[in-house]
Amino acid sequence: MMGESAINMQTDSETLVRPQRPDRYDVKAVEKRWQMEWERQHLYTVGSAEDQPKFYCLEQFPYPSGHLHMGHVRVYTLGDVVARYRRMRGYRVLHPMGWDAFGLPAENAAIKSGVAPRVSTMANIAYMKSQMRQMGLSFDWTHEVTTSEPDYYRFTQELFLMFYERGLAYRKAGAVNWCPSCETVLANEQVEDGVCWRCEAPVTKRDLTQWYLKITDYAERLLQDLDGLDWPQDIVTQQRNWIGKSTGAEVVFRVPATGDAITVFTTRPDTLFGATYVVLAPEHPLVARLVADLPSQQEVQDFVARERVTSDIERTAETAEKRGIFTGAYAEHPLTGALVPIWVGNYVLADYGTGAVMGVPSHDERDFRFSRRYHLPAVTVVRPLGESGDGFEVTTEAYTGSGVLVNSAEFTGLDSEAAKTAIADRLWERRLGGLRVTYRMRDWLISRQRYWGAPIPIVHCTRCGVVPVPVSELPVRLPEKATFTGRGVSPLAQDEHWVRTACPRCGGTAQRETDTMDTFVDSSWYYYRYTSADSARPFDPHQVSYWMPVDEYVGGKEHAVLHLLYSRFFTKVLYDAGWVPAEEPFRRLLSQGMVVYHGKKMSKSKGNTLSPESIMDDWGSDATRVFMLFAAPPEKDFEWKEAGVEGAYRFLQRVYRLAVRDLQAEDGPDGSADATVRRLTARTVHKVSEDLNRRSFNTAVSALMEFTNGLYQHWSALSAEVHRQGLETLTILLAPFAPHLAEELWHELGHGQSVHLESWPDYDAGLLVDPEVEVAVQINGKVRFKMMVSAELDGDGLGAQALADTRMVSYVHGRQLVKLVTVPGRLVNVVVR
């Protein structure tokens, strides 16, 4: 054990005490001591010297749910290695941490326990911060932010007002995703396989007036700018698919009886002459008007009521039953003038496209099945290129490919691509549609019927209508007390004293907006606040200009669409408003895989979680870090194994024992071991540096293990100078991975300054090349022996050395040399007969 007497916290001018040391060190004591010392020295507080190159290293901040799990440990370890490495490389590093503190869990806990959300949240933050300190993470806590504090959410509210002033925040009524368990609205992205992303309750639909942000205005820019990002390709692909750009045509079917128009979007305008009916989503606003005076009214209303409680995922699944009902109304085909029936169908969604589709049974599988069930007509209008004449007919399944148009009036005979443009042009001439680009992505629904979120800074005045709260009156604070029942309207709506207010415009009676913002709004800009957490503005322009964009963003793949897309949207709006200098927030993205335990992702509900504290108490945070880094590449999942962390612990103890042996080293009899270790040292520095640059942490740790083995192999034959150089290099290289042990060894080696303030070691590139190489010697193509030769030996010299080797005699004696083939650095082939 290294007791307190083993090291004095002294200045460089003082003498280091070196008592007799055992061959193991007390992990808990060492790690605790250095954690306290780093905090006392404010070691990781970013300096003010802007003449250094900057590096903004950021891990996604956690929701303070009570304690960190092993997934957190992995992501923060990855980020910490990057931050420590960049500091030692001479960068001025910003490495902050904070808390994504608003959200449903705290409010749900308040319903169960009666503990106010702020009380439980702050207690959780204190506990989780202690866990982070135990991990030895190099966070700069002077930049800490907590999204649930008024000094943060006042600026979230200010940003909302900026969006509102720019026409990017609006309110509308419509059918929304509703979680009956959480009793709140969910954005489309928060519905996963038909269930709530948080509690996994089945999601239904409700009609509510809600607030939205117009992310669709930025769809094309969000799509195009993906090309310039240094992000994992699977994340980029997920964002492309979510944005979902489609090129096609808009088609308008007029309803003669009511004067309304039904607009559909199709990627196949070439099949328009095959449209034999129109289908509306159950939630489509025209449905009620179309059947208002028709005998089918009650039956249609009953159908709509049944289908609206079914999730979108269930309704649109490939195997789902296609159900529908005829409204009794008809629409006019835009090019033929024929009347086509208007149906309501469960497979059409109100918030996808226009909420209406044209039914083309012969050329769409979904329409084909629907038409067969309800005996609707089908007309073939496209034949495959290999078919001749107009005799091709769809009979048993839809033909969904391209080809040549048939039964399409003057467009008959055109190929599909030409017909798409020609038919769209004709629609444009008749003011009944035309070419159009659409996106799958919908506007971002940000309203939540909850207390524990940032209040939307809007009041509703009986005279003035919707009125924004002036920036000077922010924040609109949450009331200190609220009643949590989990039923009915939100706690804010039940607080009449809070709801009643004066209109900022006319001074008359008004009511506050009782919806709070989606917590993804808070996390869409927090990385800007980190740059100047004490600013009287949302962020200081100079600091943002200096630090942004984030150089390395580390987080889970589960945020590929939600958080990352919203953050990109926010950044583009801020850029357009002149608030920030760059259009993208994150230069490089490192997305880590999951920690798996007993074959499954760690989960509280599955009962297979591990306590990070207990692991670190047993093995130490350094060993926990090293195992996580060594077990797999960062982007891959890995299985947590007790034997793995135990192996990392043994490796670190072995490194410590090597330092103990350093005091016993004697000068070797010759310099061969010194030369070997100098080469090994240079290669290890090169290897670890390259691996860290490309985020291959597992191979970097492997290189450190090999370096340690090499030092053990040669230690007794090394000169004291080379052995010390090897140990100092090993200690510095180890510092980003096992910061506590590296600090302990660095001071044991007699240094006063922290190892984490040292410069990353350089190396002599000449030492990367072996002075000698092993060459195979062949006789008539068959390897007979191998020999060591100078790596710089040319072909002639290589052949001469091979022929001079004593082992050659037995193979060529008395035989004629026919040919000598040499490949420098690799082989010699002697051909004899």
Side-chain angles (χ1 to χ4, degrees):
M1 168 181 173
M2 283 191 179
E4 292 295 334
S5 61
I7 178 169
N8 293 330
M9 303 288 195
Q10 297 168 327
T11 64
D12 292 343
S13 61
E14 293 176 310
T15 303
L16 187 69
V17 178
R18 290 181 182 272
Q20 183 64 39
R21 297 171 300 178
D23 62 357
R24 300 177 70 83
Y25 74 100
D26 186 328
V27 172
K28 285 186 180 180
V30 166
E31 293 186 349
K32 182 66 174 178
R33 180 166 67 249
W34 287 117
Q35 288 159 16
M36 294 173 62
E37 183 64 13
W38 295 333
E39 191 167 341
R40 185 188 68 79
Q41 294 181 15
H42 304 289
L43 192 67
Y44 306 118
T45 300
V46 65
S48 59
E50 293 190 4
D51 57 335
Q52 294 176 268
K54 72 93 178 178
F55 194 89
Y56 188 173
C57 181
L58 181 63
E59 299 98 289
Q60 293 170 357
F61 62 173
Y63 175 78
S65 59
H67 62 84
L68 299 176
H69 53 67
M70 297 307 292
H72 288 122
V73 174
R74 189 181 193 194
V75 68
Y76 299 139
T77 296
L78 292 171
D80 194 57
V81 171
V82 172
R84 289 181 181 278
Y85 172 63
R86 288 293 173 178
R87 284 194 198 94
M88 299 175 82
R89 277 292 194 186
Y91 286 84
R92 182 177 180 233
V93 175
L94 176 61
H95 187 212
M97 182 45 63
W99 313 96
D100 190 10
F102 273 139
L104 287 172
E107 191 161 341
N108 289 339
I111 294 170
K112 293 180 180 179
S113 66
V115 177
R118 188 178 189 281
V119 173
S120 61
T121 297
M122 298 310 291
N124 290 343
I125 286 173
Y127 186 79
M128 292 170 74
K129 188 182 289 189
S130 70
Q131 289 181 288
M132 290 179 174
R133 288 191 169 109
Q134 186 179 2
M135 291 169 61
L137 300 173
S138 60
F139 291 136
D140 180 353
W141 290 106
T142 65
H143 289 257
E144 181 180 9
V145 301
T146 303
T147 63
S148 61
E149 289 297 282
D151 63 359
Y152 183 91
Y153 71 71
R154 66 170 295 180
F155 298 120
T156 301
Q157 293 171 342
E158 183 175 340
L159 291 176
F160 173 89
L161 293 176
M162 185 267 282
F163 275 65
Y164 184 78
E165 291 165 3
R166 298 179 68 83
L168 295 171
Y170 67 96
R171 193 168 178 252
K172 74 170 184 178
V176 297
N177 301 310
W178 179 261
C179 175
S181 175
C182 297
E183 294 200 330
T184 192
V185 169
L186 302 176
N188 291 331
E189 297 91 334
Q190 294 167 316
V191 181
E192 300 175 351
D193 297 327
V195 301
C196 173
W197 73 300
R198 188 177 294 280
C199 73
E200 299 186 350
V203 174
T204 60
K205 292 285 186 178
R206 271 198 179 185
D207 288 322
L208 290 173
T209 300
Q210 305 284 280
W211 284 95
Y212 296 80
L213 297 183
K214 295 181 74 173
I215 191 173
T216 53
D217 280 11
Y218 285 76
E220 187 62 26
R221 286 169 64 182
L222 289 167
L223 184 64
Q224 294 299 326
D225 290 351
L226 286 169
D227 293 336
L229 297 179
D230 184 9
W231 286 18
Q233 193 54 49
D234 59 332
I235 303 295
V236 172
T237 299
Q238 287 183 65
Q239 290 217 357
R240 287 193 192 281
N241 292 342
W242 186 261
I243 296 168
K245 183 178 181 178
S246 296
T247 301
E250 191 174 77
V251 184
V252 178
F253 291 79
R254 288 176 174 158
V255 184
T258 64
D260 291 306
I262 298 172
T263 301
V264 305
F265 173 81
T266 177
T267 59
R268 294 293 305 271
D270 55 318
T271 67
L272 179 56
F273 283 85
T276 58
Y277 59 93
V278 175
V279 187
L280 303 179
E283 302 86 0
H284 197 291
L286 274 182
V287 173
R289 276 229 307 277
L290 291 174
V291 301
D293 298 318
L294 296 177
S296 61
Q297 180 177 12
Q298 188 59 54
E299 191 177 359
V300 171
Q301 288 176 344
D302 292 343
F303 175 84
V304 167
R306 288 195 302 272
E307 296 302 332
R308 285 179 58 127
V309 299
T310 307
S311 73
D312 291 353
I313 296 296
E314 291 176 279
R315 283 164 53 178
T316 58
E318 192 65 29
T319 57
E321 181 184 22
K322 304 297 183 280
R323 296 186 296 272
I325 189 169
F326 176 43
T327 63
Y330 291 85
E332 190 176 83
H333 192 288
L335 295 187
T336 70
L339 294 178
V340 297
I342 302 172
W343 284 67
V344 178
N346 71 332
Y347 66 93
V348 184
L349 304 180
D351 58 358
Y352 187 79
T354 65
V357 300
M358 63 182 195
V360 186
S362 292
H363 303 289
D364 182 276
E365 279 296 338
R366 183 182 55 182
D367 295 342
F368 182 84
R369 294 197 297 271
F370 189 81
S371 68
R372 287 301 175 95
R373 175 168 184 172
Y374 294 106
H375 308 291
L376 297 168
V379 178
T380 301
V381 294
V382 178
R383 65 171 172 81
L385 290 174
E387 296 286 339
S388 60
D390 297 339
F392 175 75
E393 290 290 337
V394 168
T395 55
T396 59
E397 62 180 2
Y399 173 64
T400 59
S402 58
V404 178
L405 266 62
V406 297
N407 302 319
S408 298
E410 70 267 35
F411 303 100
T412 296
L414 291 178
D415 67 79
S416 291
E417 290 306 309
K420 288 177 181 179
T421 302
I423 290 175
D425 289 345
R426 183 61 53 85
L427 291 168
W428 176 256
E429 291 170 4
R430 296 189 177 188
R431 301 294 185 266
L432 292 172
L435 290 174
R436 189 182 171 195
V437 174
T438 65
Y439 301 89
R440 176 181 179 271
M441 181 174 63
R442 304 286 73 158
D443 279 342
W444 178 8
L445 172 59
I446 65 165
S447 283
R448 297 295 180 268
Q449 292 65 50
R450 283 294 188 175
Y451 163 81
W452 195 235
I456 295 175
I458 292 290
V459 301
H460 302 277
C461 176
T462 54
R463 295 179 185 175
C464 307
V466 175
V467 180
V469 175
V471 171
S472 61
E473 296 181 16
L474 298 180
V476 176
R477 289 179 176 266
L478 290 170
E480 289 296 322
K481 295 182 179 179
T483 301
F484 300 100
T485 64
R487 296 291 181 269
V489 296
S490 75
L492 291 180
Q494 298 176 58
D495 189 336
E496 293 185 8
H497 177 73
W498 186 86
V499 171
R500 286 198 306 271
T501 189
C503 174
R505 188 172 295 165
C506 71
T509 301
Q511 290 191 330
R512 294 193 188 279
E513 172 62 63
T514 59
D515 284 352
T516 54
M517 291 186 232
D518 180 6
T519 56
F520 280 106
V521 176
D522 307 320
S523 60
S524 292
W525 73 279
Y526 77 106
Y527 41 90
Y528 287 109
R529 184 65 181 169
Y530 274 148
T531 67
S532 45
D534 58 352
S535 175
R537 294 177 285 181
F539 40 80
D540 180 83
H542 173 74
Q543 294 300 322
V544 163
S545 180
Y546 175 80
W547 286 111
M548 291 296 295
V550 173
D551 294 284
E552 187 89 28
Y553 196 35
V554 188
K557 294 181 180 180
E558 66 272 18
H559 296 300
V561 171
L562 291 165
H563 166 59
L564 292 175
L565 189 64
Y566 293 156
S567 295
R568 296 182 62 225
F569 167 51
F570 254 67
T571 292
K572 292 183 187 303
V573 174
L574 292 170
Y575 175 83
D576 289 350
W579 289 27
V580 301
E583 291 194 65
E584 288 289 340
F586 312 123
R587 192 189 309 276
R588 184 171 180 175
L589 183 65
L590 176 61
S591 292
Q592 89 284 355
M594 296 184 299
V595 181
V596 177
Y597 190 46
H598 293 161
K600 297 179 181 179
K601 176 185 175 182
M602 287 193 187
S603 168
K604 292 180 182 179
S605 62
K606 295 175 183 176
N608 68 335
T609 59
L610 287 173
S611 164
E613 307 98 291
S614 64
I615 298 296
M616 290 187 286
D617 285 344
D618 289 343
W619 304 107
S621 65
D622 280 354
T624 305
R625 290 165 59 111
V626 167
F627 170 57
M628 282 197 153
L629 295 164
F630 178 67
E635 69 276 8
K636 301 293 185 182
D637 297 348
F638 84 92
E639 179 84 21
W640 178 267
K641 294 181 180 179
E642 190 82 358
V645 70
E646 182 180 359
Y649 171 85
R650 289 199 303 270
F651 162 64
L652 295 177
Q653 291 288 356
R654 193 162 186 257
V655 171
Y656 170 77
R657 289 195 297 275
L658 192 64
V660 176
R661 291 190 176 197
D662 179 45
L663 300 180
Q664 306 164 2
E666 300 175 356
D667 289 344
D670 59 49
S672 61
D674 280 5
T676 298
V677 169
R678 283 194 178 100
R679 288 195 299 273
L680 178 60
T681 301
R683 290 174 182 174
T684 304
V685 173
H686 175 262
K687 171 67 173 170
V688 174
S689 301
E690 289 298 305
D691 286 347
L692 285 176
N693 288 336
R694 59 190 179 91
R695 307 299 181 260
S696 183
F697 304 108
N698 57 315
T699 55
V701 172
S702 179
L704 292 175
M705 293 176 174
E706 292 174 10
F707 187 30
T708 302
N709 290 339
L711 291 176
Y712 262 102
Q713 180 181 352
H714 298 287
W715 78 273
S716 60
L718 292 176
S719 66
E721 175 190 354
V722 173
H723 199 166
R724 181 178 179 84
Q725 180 189 40
L727 277 174
E728 288 191 341
T729 302
L730 174 61
T731 301
I732 294 175
L733 296 181
L734 189 66
F737 306 92
H740 305 89
L741 175 59
E743 190 77 282
E744 182 80 354
L745 295 181
W746 192 245
H747 283 75
E748 283 289 330
L749 290 169
H751 299 282
Q753 176 177 269
S754 170
V755 70
H756 303 294
L757 299 178
E758 292 295 320
S759 296
W760 193 253
D762 203 354
Y763 58 89
D764 181 353
L767 294 175
L768 301 181
V769 180
D770 277 315
E772 289 188 324
V773 293
E774 187 176 58
V775 171
V777 180
Q778 300 176 341
I779 308 296
N780 291 339
K782 187 174 183 180
V783 176
R784 294 300 185 178
F785 62 89
K786 295 180 180 179
M787 63 180 187
M788 298 301 296
V789 301
S790 169
E792 299 179 356
L793 201 62
D794 62 13
D796 291 341
L798 181 59
Q801 187 166 329
L803 293 174
D805 193 289
T806 56
R807 290 169 291 184
M808 182 68 70
V809 176
S810 61
Y811 294 108
V812 300
H813 181 67
R815 305 173 73 179
Q816 181 181 355
L817 177 64
V818 177
K819 189 176 183 182
L820 183 64
V821 180
T822 61
V823 180
R826 294 182 59 187
L827 66 86
V828 177
N829 185 29
V830 180
V831 181
V832 295
R833 65 182 177 192

